[in-house]
Amino acid sequence: MQETITPKRTSTFEIEDDVTSFIQKLREYAIRGLYRMFMDKDDRFIFSMRQTPRGVRKVGVSSRYTAISLIGLATLENETAMAILSGRENKALCRSL
């Protein structure tokens, strides 16, 4: 006899809670990474970080990544954004693009 599998019905609210929770976790992960990816001397965010025998190395700077990061930083408290930008304000960095 073959068993019939009935999918569990999920309410829209449960799905939204799962998605909202997942997005919040992604957001927290991204924010933690931004602290390490801002290059003070260039006023830009980097492309990536690479593991080398000497440790982690920052690779390349990007105006595009900086613009994308500024969009996300605009949703944060000003103090948090300034901490990520080493004391700079979003607006000042935006004007430099």
Side-chain angles (χ1 to χ4, degrees), residues 1 3-4 10 39-40 53 58 64 69 71 88 90 93:
M1 177 195 296
E3 183 180 344
T4 304
T10 307
M39 293 289 289
D40 292 350
K58 296 178 179 183
R64 183 171 64 97
S69 297
I71 291 168
R88 293 163 183 80
N90 291 5
L93 186 57

Side-chain angles (χ1 to χ4, degrees), residues 30-43:
I31 291 167
R32 282 193 310 268
L34 287 177
Y35 283 96
R36 298 181 313 163
M37 298 188 77
F38 185 68
M39 293 289 289
D40 292 350
K41 66 182 180 80
D42 297 307
D43 279 347

Side-chain angles (χ1 to χ4, degrees), residues 1-64:
M1 177 195 296
Q2 197 167 19
E3 183 180 344
T4 304
I5 299 173
T6 307
K8 179 184 177 228
R9 298 199 45 99
T10 307
S11 76
T12 303
F13 295 112
E14 287 179 60
I15 293 170
E16 286 178 8
D17 286 346
D18 290 345
V19 170
T20 300
S21 174
F22 180 68
I23 290 171
Q24 184 60 33
K25 287 177 186 172
L26 284 177
R27 179 180 160 82
E28 291 167 6
Y29 178 75
I31 291 167
R32 282 193 310 268
L34 287 177
Y35 283 96
R36 298 181 313 163
M37 298 188 77
F38 185 68
M39 293 289 289
D40 292 350
K41 66 182 180 80
D42 297 307
D43 279 347
R44 296 290 181 269
F45 283 89
I46 61 171
F47 284 118
S48 66
M49 297 175 74
R50 302 248 168 91
Q51 185 66 46
T52 69
R54 292 184 181 175
V56 177
R57 189 177 123 233
K58 296 178 179 183
V59 180
V61 292
S62 171
S63 294
R64 183 171 64 97

Side-chain angles (χ1 to χ4, degrees), residues 50-86:
R50 302 248 168 91
Q51 185 66 46
T52 69
R54 292 184 181 175
V56 177
R57 189 177 123 233
K58 296 178 179 183
V59 180
V61 292
S62 171
S63 294
R64 183 171 64 97
Y65 286 0
T66 301
I68 293 166
S69 297
L70 283 169
I71 291 168
L73 290 172
T75 67
L76 299 177
E77 295 290 327
N78 192 47
E79 295 79 26
T80 304
M82 286 181 70
I84 291 170
L85 298 175
S86 301

